Amino acid sequence: MAFTAQDVKTLREITGCGMMECKKALTEADGNQDKAIELLRERGLAAAAKKASRIAAEGIVKAYVDTAKKVGVVIEVNAETDFVAKNAEFQAFVETCAKTVVEANPADVEALNASKAVGSEMTIADLTTEKIQTIGENIKIRRFVRYEGDVATYIHAGGNIGVMVKFDTDVADKEGFEEYGKDVAMQIAAANPSYLNESEVPAEVLEKEKEILKIQAINEGKPEAIAEKMVQGRIKKFYKENCLIDQEFIKDGDQTIKSYTEAKAKELGGKIEIVSFVRYEKGEGLEKKVDDFASEVASMVK
């Protein structure tokens, strides 16, 4: 598989490695980005960071909570430009979509599109078509998550990142819980954990991580027996970086999210358990058309 200069640039952004190391890894991996990352990690050149997705599409991520119904929603709706994403009509449309998710409880985006929009006689699909015509850009509902129960939400940078966390608690109505919930949601936005706890890490992911860590240790000149022991210590670091409850609390590095949660539950006189969370980043995994301005100008003067 051939690769381009853009592929090298993307690999550099993901791994933080030098251009030549990235080019060499892509060559050995036959252009496969994931395999190249693995090779760089095995050589100790790339950090054990989560693979970054290319963020390209515009739009917003919005959170909406109906406190009376105890239902929360995080939804991503994409548009073509950042200008439209800031448009009041577009933002009102996204809120209508979120409210419709609360009311209709659709199974997926297709079901949402077929649902009657809150406050309208139109379906969401028809309303989307209308907004495309009036706003003048393509608009697409990409994804959503709906939680029932006690939730906390956080929106970062005007809709670039949206987080929702679900709790099992008997102290949601007590003073101090709302602040705690926001702290956890902000933690997820900032630290981007992949899993809630160690038990959620898939076995194949864990085995692959151990394999990479072992190769790293052997490449450092350690005997295989020592390398095996080193893996056990280094896997704890993997959990600490990737599992929410094991992460250092961003507002107090002396605590983990687990210890912060336990302390808050004791303070409020009840129980608090983080059940699940969702983190959406606008345009995650989508690729936007990149205009080559120089080529465009050159073609105009031919």
Side-chain angles (χ1 to χ4, degrees):
M1 186 193 303
F3 61 90
T4 66
Q6 181 60 46
D7 294 326
V8 177
K9 181 175 181 289
T10 300
L11 187 59
R12 287 188 70 190
E13 290 170 351
I14 292 171
T15 63
C17 295
M19 183 179 70
M20 294 310 295
E21 287 91 349
C22 290
K23 188 175 180 180
K24 184 179 178 182
L26 279 167
T27 300
E28 291 181 29
D30 198 25
N32 185 296
Q33 193 85 248
D34 291 343
K35 181 62 179 174
I37 292 169
E38 188 177 313
L39 287 170
L40 289 168
R41 289 200 52 211
E42 287 174 357
R43 294 166 187 164
L45 297 173
K50 295 173 288 296
K51 295 170 191 173
S53 297
R54 296 182 65 178
I55 311 301
E58 300 300 339
I60 59 171
V61 179
K62 183 172 181 62
Y64 175 78
V65 179
D66 187 319
T67 53
K69 289 184 172 68
K70 293 184 76 171
V71 176
V73 170
V74 168
I75 187 168
E76 178 184 359
V77 181
N78 298 123
E80 293 179 51
T81 65
D82 184 54
F83 178 76
V84 164
K86 295 173 182 176
N87 178 289
E89 186 177 357
F90 175 77
Q91 293 187 2
F93 166 72
V94 176
E95 180 159 324
T96 296
C97 292
K99 289 179 176 179
T100 304
V101 173
V102 169
E103 295 295 330
N105 191 15
D108 50 29
V109 172
E110 185 178 354
L112 173 59
N113 280 324
S115 301
K116 185 177 174 182
V118 167
S120 172
E121 292 301 312
M122 303 171 71
T123 64
I124 289 292
D126 290 338
L127 189 59
T128 303
T129 301
E130 180 186 84
K131 296 305 175 188
I132 290 171
Q133 292 170 345
T134 57
I135 293 174
E137 281 196 9
N138 190 26
I139 295 169
K140 186 175 181 181
I141 300 168
R142 187 182 181 203
R143 53 184 175 171
F144 65 84
V145 168
R146 181 184 187 272
Y147 285 161
E148 296 182 1
D150 294 308
V151 301
T153 62
Y154 173 69
I155 294 295
H156 179 72
N160 281 339
I161 298 173
V163 173
M164 180 165 60
V165 195
K166 181 177 179 179
F167 302 94
D168 179 11
T169 180
D170 54 7
V171 294
D173 58 343
K174 292 196 174 182
E175 187 178 352
F177 180 81
E178 185 177 348
E179 180 184 4
Y180 157 80
K182 185 178 180 182
D183 281 343
V184 174
M186 288 177 69
Q187 172 83 23
I188 294 164
N192 193 14
S194 299
Y195 312 100
L196 173 60
N197 51 42
E198 294 177 16
S199 65
E200 280 196 1
V201 181
E204 61 272 20
V205 171
L206 193 59
E207 287 309 307
K208 192 65 182 177
E209 191 65 27
K210 287 179 178 178
E211 180 186 327
I212 290 171
L213 292 173
K214 183 179 177 181
I215 293 171
Q216 280 182 357
I218 290 172
N219 287 344
E220 290 168 10
K222 304 294 190 297
E224 187 164 346
I226 299 297
E228 289 279 6
K229 292 180 180 177
M230 289 176 66
V231 166
Q232 299 310 312
R234 290 180 177 181
I235 207 70
K236 290 179 182 177
K237 182 182 178 184
F238 171 82
Y239 285 137
K240 192 171 182 179
E241 291 175 348
N242 291 276
C243 297
L244 173 63
I245 65 168
D246 293 328
Q247 286 184 337
E248 286 184 4
F249 181 28
I250 54 174
K251 292 174 79 172
D252 180 0
D254 292 331
Q255 294 190 83
T256 61
I257 291 298
K258 181 180 180 181
S259 63
Y260 175 51
T261 299
E262 290 170 347
K264 184 59 67 172
K266 185 176 181 181
E267 177 191 327
L268 299 181
K271 74 164 185 175
I272 304 174
E273 179 187 352
I274 303 170
V275 176
S276 56
F277 69 86
V278 59
R279 180 188 187 275
Y280 283 168
E281 189 161 346
K282 179 189 72 176
E284 206 166 30
L286 296 179
E287 193 167 344
K288 184 173 66 173
K289 177 186 174 185
V290 178
D291 293 318
D292 186 340
F293 183 68
S295 297
E296 184 181 340
V297 171
S299 68
M300 291 171 67
V301 297
K302 282 180 180 178

